[in-house]
Amino acid sequence: MVMVSLRQLRYFLEVVDAGGFSAAAERLFVAQSALSRQISELERELQAVLLERSSKGVTLTPAGRTFLNEARRVLTELEGSVALTRSVARGEQGTVRLAHSSSVPFAGALPAALYAHLQANPGVSVDVSTLSSEQQQDEIEAGRIDLGLVRLPVLRPAASLVCDIISRERLLLLVPPGHALAHQASVSVAALAAEPFVSLPHRERGGLSYRVAQLCQQHGFFPEAAVATSRKATLVNLVAAGFGVAIVPQSLAAMAGPGVRRVALDDANADSEIALLHRRDAGGLVMAVGEAMRAAIGAAASPGRPAGQ
């Protein structure tokens, strides 16, 4: 196995560029004897004479001319790799794999903030997917995604990951236009005990439906299932069709069309939290995208905004 060091490559190139050992030693601030020893060790390792020494300086042998081109190529590629690595570490270049829960709609402020970030950092790209909070944990731990946007609570949180709460968002009630509560300014969760809910928690997952069930249980009941249910954004369509009601965050309610009515909830704790998930050793590239997401969600969240009718 050939063992050639980067120092030997640089020393060799400097000797060639300087035209001799003496001038090269001065440029490198090393003793000429040390420089000569390094070149000799390089030639011994390559089993080839690279330089012919004379009183007039050095000249390249045929083997030396071949090695010169390869040495320049290797160092150029290495410098490029170092520059790329440093750029990625600073968050300036690379691809970030981002996932979000379906209850954290990738709409409005989020894509706008991401677009602005990518415009300002042309070497960065982002691959966006939708996964449940628990799936995001698994994928981040396995290194298959870098950053997650989840709605808490997350069941069985992974101790190896950072779960950074970035926003608290008010929850609203969605009802069909003809519903008895459609024209109420606000209601309590307690008033919904007999209502069919179009979204119920999954026993293996947390997120929005789990948080809604927590609120209902605080009033002594578990949400009654409608005849058709969904844990995805399609729950808005189920409400519009009259299947039942849903409690959703403001960001999801904002995507609902005229087929549903939005009613504020009286309960002081009728809110939910959004968090960023990432590895503890996440680099600057990942964290820079995360900060863009944090800023977008923080700016969009306005707990005091009255519910739209």
Side-chain angles (χ1 to χ4, degrees), residues 171-212:
L171 297 173
L172 302 175
L173 174 67
L174 298 185
V175 298
H179 194 278
L181 299 175
H183 298 288
Q184 295 290 320
S186 64
V187 298
S188 169
V189 173
L192 307 176
E195 297 291 339
F197 281 72
V198 299
S199 180
L200 294 180
H202 188 286
R203 63 182 180 180
E204 297 295 331
R205 298 177 185 174
L208 175 61
S209 57
Y210 196 95
R211 173 61 182 146
V212 171

Side-chain angles (χ1 to χ4, degrees), residues 131-143 145 148 150 154-163 277 279:
L131 296 171
S132 72
S133 301
E134 286 68 34
Q135 288 174 319
Q136 289 183 49
Q137 283 195 143
D138 294 342
E139 294 295 287
I140 293 174
E141 283 192 302
I145 65 172
V150 300
V154 175
L155 300 186
R156 298 175 296 280
S160 63
L161 303 181
V162 175
C163 183
L277 282 182
R279 295 173 63 94

Side-chain angles (χ1 to χ4, degrees), residues 7 11 14-15 21-38:
R7 175 186 295 178
Y11 281 11
E14 196 62 53
V15 170
F21 282 85
S22 177
E26 290 181 7
R27 291 185 183 182
L28 294 167
F29 300 101
V30 299
Q32 184 172 334
S33 59
L35 176 59
S36 181
R37 184 169 58 254
Q38 287 290 328

Side-chain angles (χ1 to χ4, degrees), residues 163-282:
C163 183
D164 183 14
I165 297 172
I166 61 174
S167 177
R168 186 182 298 272
E169 189 177 12
R170 285 295 294 175
L171 297 173
L172 302 175
L173 174 67
L174 298 185
V175 298
H179 194 278
L181 299 175
H183 298 288
Q184 295 290 320
S186 64
V187 298
S188 169
V189 173
L192 307 176
E195 297 291 339
F197 281 72
V198 299
S199 180
L200 294 180
H202 188 286
R203 63 182 180 180
E204 297 295 331
R205 298 177 185 174
L208 175 61
S209 57
Y210 196 95
R211 173 61 182 146
V212 171
Q214 286 179 326
L215 290 172
C216 293
Q217 288 176 312
Q218 289 171 8
H219 290 282
F221 72 96
F222 191 84
E224 179 182 335
V227 293
T229 60
S230 172
R231 298 183 71 253
K232 305 299 182 183
T234 51
L235 63 85
V236 175
N237 296 329
L238 294 179
V239 172
F243 283 98
V245 304
I247 293 177
V248 301
Q250 284 183 322
S251 57
L252 192 55
M255 299 174 63
V260 300
R261 303 289 289 180
R262 303 161 184 81
V263 182
L265 293 172
D266 293 333
D267 306 69
N269 65 340
D271 52 30
S272 68
E273 295 171 321
I274 298 173
L276 276 173
L277 282 182
H278 58 82
R279 295 173 63 94
R280 296 188 183 279
D281 59 354

Side-chain angles (χ1 to χ4, degrees), residues 15-63:
V15 170
V16 173
D17 292 341
F21 282 85
S22 177
E26 290 181 7
R27 291 185 183 182
L28 294 167
F29 300 101
V30 299
Q32 184 172 334
S33 59
L35 176 59
S36 181
R37 184 169 58 254
Q38 287 290 328
I39 298 302
S40 295
E41 290 178 1
L42 173 62
E43 291 178 318
R44 184 164 52 252
E45 189 66 37
L46 295 175
Q47 299 180 10
V49 176
L50 303 175
L51 300 169
E52 292 181 350
R53 289 82 162 169
S54 71
S55 58
K56 295 182 180 180
V58 297
T59 56
L60 287 164
T61 65

